[in-house]
Amino acid sequence: MNPVPPRQQQALVARLMQACGGAHSPQARRKYFISGPQWAAAYQGQALFHAPTREPVGFEEVIRRYAEIGIGYWTTHDTDVIPTSALGTDQQGEIVARIRQALDENGLRCSMVTTETFYHAVWAASPAAESASVRDYAAFRVRNTVEIGHELGAQYAVYWPGSLGYYVQGAIDETETLQWYAAALNAACERDIEVAAKKGRPTLKHCLEAKPFEPQAEILLPTSDAMLAFISSGLLTHPEMVGLNPEYLHELMWGSAPRAALARALVCGKLWHFDINDGYRLKHDVDIAVGLVNPLDWLNVLVLLRSHGYNGPFNLDYKPPRTTSNYGVFAVSFPSAVDRFITLWEMAGEVLADPIIHEATEALKAGGGPVDTRDAEAVAASNRELLTLHELIAHRLVQILLGLHRGRSYSV
Ligand code: 3MF
Ligand code: MG
Ligand code: MG
């Protein structure tokens, strides 16, 4: 192939994307409760060892592009859109008004707001630091975010306490830090109750998001299970207002099965919001787009969520790779992520309707019939042949994932 000069490269990407086919229309995409974060589209590719590879993108452009793609909901940190120094000032009011206008003009809704409590120097010792001034500031920030959320018509507030921890051992008392963190959440919930009553709106759903590693060395609430324990610890004044925003990769990172983590949240009635992405076990938070690494696991996650009637948002919390250009973010990265999600969602429906999986599952539950249930050998013998169905179900799931159940085969 001849070299492709820079001015022809976008056209090549567009043509090959078109050739991939299988794209859903913006109208079809909008039927899903899929939200696009401001920070995901605006991510410039920077990291500790990485200079940015993309130009900055403001909220007007992100909202407009999401609308074109068919992503119906938008989410943001307070400081993604409002400079730290402008928080709580008239300038904030002006920016929020501009956001409302951009959302209205493009037919998007803001579903979630979140407070950035990890980037600025003020959070060096976490939002629940020893100093009361830091904690008062944290309370101001989360209350202010609740107000922004109500202004923008959001239903959810998310909290990622990524800096709630320490670098060196013994410097903090963990129990105190957790109490102080709870105090900030309590302040947010109490302000929410006041603002919601004043505006005649329901209160927000406050969702905690865990991550096991980074940016702090040791993290006090590293998993969704730790969050569940924290919610029922007695430290929160409104535990009924607080649930979870698990992130797929955050659960995978520590070696968990994300689907099992989601199941534990479901049985507690706390699975309210879900950050969708992909990546690898025991590595850092690479935030690859949904289904690019673990499509089979993703199919199974969606089977679980569909079968339990999860109806919260699917928040596209991933980072377009540094190798993707500004053009590619909206031409390839977001539309392809949304379409893979929709395909996996539809496949999950096929799994739930599949007569083979259905019969195999029912047979496993029916078991082998009457037996002396104090006799281990007899119980094992009575079920032995049925248990082969576990592997048969796994085979069937892969058939559905690869389209083999529709007659596709790979013999040459
Ligand atoms: C970090 C994250 C965060 C959270 C966000 C909460 C930057 O790993 O996943 O995204 O999702 O702060 O909304
Ligand atoms: Mg996240
Ligand atoms: Mg992540």
Side-chain angles (χ1 to χ4, degrees), residues 247 250 277 285 287:
E247 177 173 311
H250 293 177
N277 56 14
D285 194 18
D287 286 331

Side-chain angles (χ1 to χ4, degrees), residues 143 146 159 182-197 203 206 235-238 241:
R143 286 191 191 113
V146 162
Y159 304 86
L185 292 172
N186 293 340
C189 289
E190 276 145 29
R191 176 59 55 88
D192 185 10
I193 292 168
E194 287 165 20
V195 179
T203 54
H206 298 255
L235 295 178
L236 297 180
T237 48
H238 293 285
M241 292 174 70

Side-chain angles (χ1 to χ4, degrees), residues 39 77 112 114 118 158-160 209 211 245 247 250 275 285 287 317:
W39 68 89
H77 293 97
M112 180 271 268
T114 177
F118 43 87
V158 167
Y159 304 86
W160 169 51
E209 176 178 340
K211 174 158 78 164
N245 172 44
E247 177 173 311
H250 293 177
D275 274 2
D285 194 18
D287 286 331
D317 188 11

Side-chain angles (χ1 to χ4, degrees), residues 137-275:
Y137 179 70
F140 154 69
R141 284 285 295 269
V142 294
R143 286 191 191 113
N144 185 59
T145 304
V146 162
E147 287 169 13
I148 296 172
H150 280 289
E151 287 293 307
L152 293 177
Q155 300 149 264
Y156 299 88
V158 167
Y159 304 86
W160 169 51
S163 59
L164 194 74
Y166 50 86
Y167 294 100
V168 286
Q169 296 166 31
I172 62 161
D173 174 336
E174 289 85 343
T175 61
E176 252 176 351
T177 309
L178 289 169
Q179 285 169 27
W180 288 330
Y181 190 65
L185 292 172
N186 293 340
C189 289
E190 276 145 29
R191 176 59 55 88
D192 185 10
I193 292 168
E194 287 165 20
V195 179
K198 215 183 307 164
K199 288 195 172 264
R201 298 189 77 231
T203 54
L204 305 175
K205 285 178 141 74
H206 298 255
C207 306
L208 304 179
E209 176 178 340
K211 174 158 78 164
F213 332 126
E214 74 170 15
Q216 214 80 347
E218 296 288 1
I219 290 172
L220 299 194
L221 294 168
T223 64
S224 290
D225 300 302
M227 293 297 191
L228 288 174
F230 179 65
I231 292 169
S232 49
S233 65
L235 295 178
L236 297 180
T237 48
H238 293 285
E240 75 290 352
M241 292 174 70
V242 183
L244 294 191
N245 172 44
E247 177 173 311
Y248 178 89
L249 180 56
H250 293 177
E251 297 306 320
L252 193 69
M253 279 165 74
W254 64 268
S256 152
R259 178 164 131 149
L262 293 166
R264 295 190 290 270
L266 274 172
V267 296
C268 296
K270 292 295 192 185
L271 184 61
W272 294 354
H273 200 278
F274 185 22
D275 274 2

Side-chain angles (χ1 to χ4, degrees), residues 259 301-310 345 352:
R259 178 164 131 149
V301 161
L302 296 183
V303 169
L304 181 85
L305 298 190
R306 275 193 81 144
S307 59
H308 290 275
Y310 171 77
W345 181 262
L352 291 173

Side-chain angles (χ1 to χ4, degrees), residues 33 35 73-75 109-113 153-157 273 313 315:
F33 197 170
S35 55
Y73 298 85
W74 176 82
T75 61
R109 309 234 306 259
C110 170
S111 52
M112 180 271 268
V113 289
Q155 300 149 264
Y156 299 88
H273 200 278
N315 188 43

